[in-house]
Amino acid sequence: MSQLQTAARKGARLSLAGLRHWPYWGAMLLIASMLYKLNWLDGELNVGGMNHWKWTVNLGAMVLATFWTVWLGRRTRAVALAALHLLLSIAIFADLIYFRYFKDFISVPVLMQAGQVGELQDSIWNLIHGGDWILFADVPVAVALAAWTCWRLRRSRARSESASFLPARRFRGPFWARLALGAALLVAGIYMIAIPVNEQKNGWARGLFVGNWWNIPIYNVTGLFGFHGYDTYRYAKEHWFGSGPSKEEIAEAADWFAERGKLQKQAESEPLFGAYKGKNVLVIQAEAFQEFVLGKSVNGQEITPNLNKLIKQSLYFPNFYHMTSQGRTSDADFLTSCSLHPMPSGSVFIRFADHEFNCLPKILNGQGYDTTVHHAYDGSFWNRTNMYRNMEYAKFYSLNDYTNDEPLGWSIGDKSFFRQTVDQLKERGRNPFYALAITISGHHPFNLPSTATDFDAGEFSGTTFGDYLEASHYVDAAIGELVQDLKDEGLWDDTILMFYGDHDNSLYDMKTYEQFYGRALTDQEKDALVRKVPFFIRFPNDENAGVSEKAAGQIDTAPTIMQLLGIPVGDNKLMGVSMVSGAAKPVVFRNGGYTDGKTYYIPSSDGIVDNGSCYSLPDGTKTDMAACKPGAEAAKKELEISDRVVEHDLIPDLADAAEEEKR
């Protein structure tokens, strides 16, 4: 054999040896790439920053994601690693886009709502930034390396077999060695997650994994993939392995509602109790409509001229807050109608539509009211058809009940929607009526045609924020036409009109708001700005017009309507307190924050009460946490009780407990 042939064969052996080990290097490259992406994502989220704990759990999660590939053949392993590059990159990207809209992470209950995603495609495209491509930059490389590995192995194996100098089985490695390596990686991955999580769980994150906590503190302990693992475990425990609340927990919930009932009962002895008994009630839930646009002008043109005028004829609440979570519009509907908190993950409308609640339509049915809900969209969206049936509305008017004579945005424009809704109420001819009308024209990304909006956003033109201002102007014009329609149909003088925004507009760049206001905003102002939505009550003959500085939220709407119509809350399990009552309680946000009109508490991203920020109102100056700590603890308990009732369908049990108490 010549020296040239010997060198060639040695080169072939070395080449094959390198290919033999390449898939292990591939796993290491995958882990390094994903760690870079997770660090980049953390910077985009800006909810706590990377620390050594999060780096460790992220590394552990990636080891667990890849350990099993060492048990595969070389070509299969290379393909599997390329697939992981793609799948994990998609997961990170999906969480990023979801977070930009909801300020939360995708959870199992959210995945159950995947059917809603198609309806949000315009919003999704609007939320994608140019720099997001970095999440997929390595995927073509991974695919190319997998293809090259498969091709080289096949070619080299064919050569070696023809040369009869290198048996293929030699490169597979001993079975037990690979088994041991995989097992060692599995143990190492678990160890790298368990140790940091336990260390934090027994330290600053004590109690974090008990109950339904805000997802962001959990992410800060577990990392992104660790969060999804925990969320899957939490869902399985809740739906498949949970034993339900104990008798003590049910009794605790009953005691909580009994205490809240004392506040609610105060309304029965006040002048407005029953002052509007028998009057019609029309509630407008306006899509993404926020308080900051009211009374403002751009280039000398009022954004909301009709609402500005209407507010002067109404009882207006400038300190009214939305309290929604991931269910967004459906959460606002649930809060308003059923006076309980939404869940931290997913939507009550989808997860618990078969549970029993003491919702306003059911209560008003017993008082002789004709109860209807109107929304010009598909009835299956947010599972409305089933939920409204459970809430016992007499009629749900959905998209099929409207004529599309004003195609605009997601559906028909709000002008046509209001006009046809008034027609529907007149056709029913059943008085008194309670009607909830849910608008849609103001939905993100607010890309209504200029011919419809008739508003110049000035320096904000061409931006999503400018589009929002234009859409708000259109909705305001629709409200103006609604008022005229109610007058023309003879309903205005016998109808209580309520208007509120359902949730924020998903625009969180505070520099834009500071440009809009022409000044810097404090941290408290920034948080409140996102949460504040308008709420006013226009009474017949413009009675009770004025401004109430009382802090209130969507959860207080049903008790407010009940007080005006002279209906005691009684044994109905509602958490709100009437806004027109002298009784008061804090407004509790889903993340554990709250405000009582005197203090404003913003929880920290680690979930520790003492690490949150406490502000004194109305000036918004930061003050000692001692002023907010009792309220923060009470807010946490309120959320726990609400979650217990909603998750475990406790309304019937609480009703039985109340009956036994009476006996």
Side-chain angles (χ1 to χ4, degrees):
M1 183 181 299
S2 67
Q3 291 182 345
L4 184 60
Q5 288 176 318
T6 300
R9 290 177 180 177
K10 285 184 178 180
R13 291 189 182 98
L14 290 173
S15 175
L16 286 172
L19 287 173
R20 170 186 168 188
H21 293 293
W22 151 245
Y24 298 117
W25 285 105
M28 295 173 66
L29 289 174
L30 170 63
I31 291 173
S33 174
M34 290 301 154
L35 288 177
Y36 171 83
K37 294 179 185 180
L38 291 170
N39 181 56
W40 179 87
L41 173 73
D42 195 82
E44 289 288 306
L45 302 180
N46 191 28
V47 293
M50 294 291 285
N51 54 37
H52 67 283
W53 283 318
K54 201 181 293 184
W55 275 111
T56 304
V57 295
N58 281 340
L59 176 59
M62 290 311 307
V63 171
L64 290 181
T66 56
F67 80 92
W68 53 276
T69 62
V70 304
W71 296 333
L72 303 177
R74 294 190 293 279
R75 281 181 290 187
T76 306
R77 189 185 307 138
V79 173
L81 290 171
L84 280 174
H85 268 277
L86 178 61
L87 293 176
L88 296 178
S89 298
I90 290 174
I92 295 173
F93 176 75
D95 270 302
L96 173 64
I97 301 304
Y98 187 85
F99 192 91
R100 283 175 178 162
Y101 190 83
F102 291 100
K103 290 299 177 184
D104 211 330
F105 300 99
I106 296 174
S107 60
V108 174
V110 169
L111 292 176
M112 294 173 61
Q113 301 164 192
Q116 321 295 324
V117 173
E119 314 295 340
L120 298 170
Q121 55 183 333
D122 288 341
S123 294
I124 291 172
W125 283 113
N126 185 264
L127 293 167
I128 297 174
H129 300 168
D132 298 344
W133 67 269
I134 195 69
L135 293 174
F136 298 97
D138 61 329
V139 173
V141 177
V143 172
L145 287 173
W148 180 81
T149 299
C150 292
W151 175 76
R152 289 287 294 177
L153 279 170
R154 180 179 299 176
R155 182 181 178 190
S156 299
R157 182 171 295 175
R159 288 180 177 177
S160 66
E161 288 175 353
S162 63
S164 300
F165 66 83
L166 196 60
R169 59 182 178 84
R170 178 177 171 184
F171 298 107
R172 294 181 182 175
F175 170 77
W176 291 110
R178 289 192 292 135
L179 182 64
L181 176 59
L185 290 172
L186 172 61
V187 172
I190 294 174
Y191 181 86
M192 283 187 282
I193 293 175
I195 297 302
V197 169
N198 282 326
E199 187 173 346
Q200 296 172 87
K201 189 172 68 173
N202 295 324
W204 69 264
R206 189 179 303 276
L208 184 62
F209 297 96
V210 178
N212 282 312
W213 272 76
W214 187 26
N215 287 334
I216 288 177
I218 295 174
Y219 158 80
N220 279 328
V221 172
T222 63
L224 183 68
F225 295 131
F227 164 78
H228 288 304
Y230 171 72
D231 178 63
T232 303
Y233 159 78
R234 180 172 58 182
Y235 181 84
K237 181 180 179 181
E238 174 188 321
H239 287 80
W240 303 327
F241 308 117
S243 57
S246 64
K247 290 183 179 180
E248 291 75 14
E249 289 175 323
I250 295 175
E252 182 186 35
D255 291 342
W256 190 96
F257 278 102
E259 285 299 312
R260 182 54 53 90
K262 295 175 183 178
L263 279 178
Q264 295 165 338
K265 191 170 181 60
Q266 181 176 324
E268 298 174 33
S269 60
E270 296 175 334
L272 283 178
F273 184 78
Y276 294 90
K277 187 177 181 65
K279 293 295 184 182
N280 301 318
V281 181
L282 174 58
V283 180
I284 305 299
Q285 178 174 296
E287 172 65 36
F289 207 96
Q290 292 197 245
E291 185 268 346
F292 74 87
V293 298
L294 299 177
K296 298 295 190 300
S297 299
V298 175
N299 286 343
Q301 185 179 6
E302 288 183 285
I303 303 172
T304 58
N306 293 291
L307 285 170
N308 296 343
K309 178 182 177 181
L310 191 54
I311 284 171
K312 294 177 182 177
Q313 305 168 233
S314 308
L315 178 58
Y316 177 57
F317 294 81
N319 296 310
F320 183 87
Y321 301 84
H322 82 81
M323 305 165 71
T324 65
S325 184
Q326 293 181 340
R328 304 291 273 179
T329 297
S330 69
D331 281 353
D333 195 339
F334 181 69
L335 281 153
T336 298
S337 302
C338 307
S339 197
L340 291 168
H341 287 277
M343 297 303 292
S345 296
S347 166
V348 175
F349 270 43
I350 290 178
R351 296 178 61 187
F352 305 110
D354 59 336
H355 286 192
E356 185 173 331
F357 305 105
N358 296 140
C359 299
L360 192 58
K362 179 180 179 180
I363 295 170
L364 294 182
N365 286 338
Q367 301 293 320
Y369 272 76
D370 180 35
T371 56
T372 57
V373 57
H374 310 254
H375 184 52
Y377 205 64
D378 194 313
S380 64
F381 195 58
W382 289 120
N383 198 31
R384 281 191 171 94
T385 298
N386 292 324
M387 187 64 183
Y388 289 154
R389 185 183 300 116
N390 185 28
M391 293 164 70
E392 300 189 20
Y393 276 105
K395 172 69 175 177
F396 170 29
Y397 289 91
S398 63
L399 181 61
N400 293 335
D401 298 297
Y402 288 84
T403 300
N404 192 358
D405 56 4
E406 188 195 9
L408 194 67
W410 277 38
S411 181
I412 65 173
D414 285 349
K415 292 180 179 180
S416 176
F417 166 66
F418 284 139
R419 183 177 64 253
Q420 294 185 61
T421 295
V422 173
D423 290 342
Q424 290 160 356
L425 293 173
K426 287 291 291 184
E427 288 170 5
R428 293 182 71 81
R430 303 174 190 176
N431 293 320
F433 66 75
Y434 166 80
L436 173 64
I438 303 170
T439 74
I440 198 170
S441 293
H443 202 287
H444 189 279
F446 324 113
N447 50 357
L448 303 183
S450 58
T451 53
T453 58
D454 189 28
F455 184 80
D456 180 7
E459 60 183 320
F460 301 104
S461 295
T463 67
T464 305
F465 185 82
D467 292 342
Y468 176 73
L469 299 181
E470 294 171 5
S472 298
H473 185 76
Y474 168 80
V475 174
D476 175 82
I479 292 294
E481 293 189 9
L482 168 65
V483 171
Q484 190 59 50
D485 288 342
L486 291 171
K487 291 178 178 179
D488 293 343
E489 296 296 339
L491 296 173
W492 185 244
D493 293 333
D494 290 316
T495 300
I496 297 171
L497 176 67
M498 293 185 175
F499 176 96
Y500 70 92
D502 61 354
H503 54 73
D504 64 70
N505 57 16
S506 301
L507 304 179
Y508 305 119
D509 184 356
M510 289 300 144
K511 292 180 180 178
T512 302
Y513 290 104
E514 291 178 332
Q515 181 182 353
F516 178 76
Y517 279 100
R519 63 177 179 84
L521 299 174
T522 67
D523 290 341
Q524 186 274 328
E525 285 179 313
K526 292 174 183 177
D527 192 85
L529 185 151
V530 172
R531 299 187 185 282
K532 278 191 175 184
V533 293
F535 184 94
F536 65 81
I537 308 172
R538 188 272 169 185
F539 294 92
N541 303 314
D542 297 347
E543 295 169 353
N544 305 306
V547 176
S548 172
E549 298 291 342
K550 183 178 183 179
Q554 292 162 330
I555 206 168
D556 302 313
T557 309
T560 302
I561 294 172
M562 292 171 69
Q563 179 180 3
L564 296 174
L565 302 183
I567 305 170
V569 171
D571 292 332
N572 293 300
K573 305 308 175 188
L574 309 178
M575 286 190 153
V577 172
S578 172
M579 287 177 262
V580 296
S581 170
K585 56 107 183 101
V587 181
V588 175
F589 308 129
R590 184 62 256 191
N591 68 348
Y594 83 90
T595 181
D596 58 6
K598 299 178 181 178
T599 55
Y600 192 102
Y601 170 68
I602 302 176
S604 66
S605 57
D606 59 19
I608 300 175
V609 170
D610 288 331
N611 290 348
S613 299
C614 184
Y615 300 88
S616 176
L617 297 178
D619 56 354
T621 56
K622 197 167 186 178
T623 188
D624 190 89
M625 259 305 300
C628 287
K629 190 167 183 177
E633 296 292 350
K636 180 180 177 182
K637 178 57 65 177
E638 181 173 321
L639 293 171
E640 287 178 0
I641 296 296
S642 182
D643 291 346
R644 193 179 304 166
V645 169
V646 174
E647 275 188 43
H648 301 290
D649 198 12
L650 291 189
I651 295 293
D653 294 323
L654 294 174
D656 292 342
E659 285 297 322
E660 290 182 14
E661 186 75 20
K662 290 178 181 178
R663 296 196 203 106

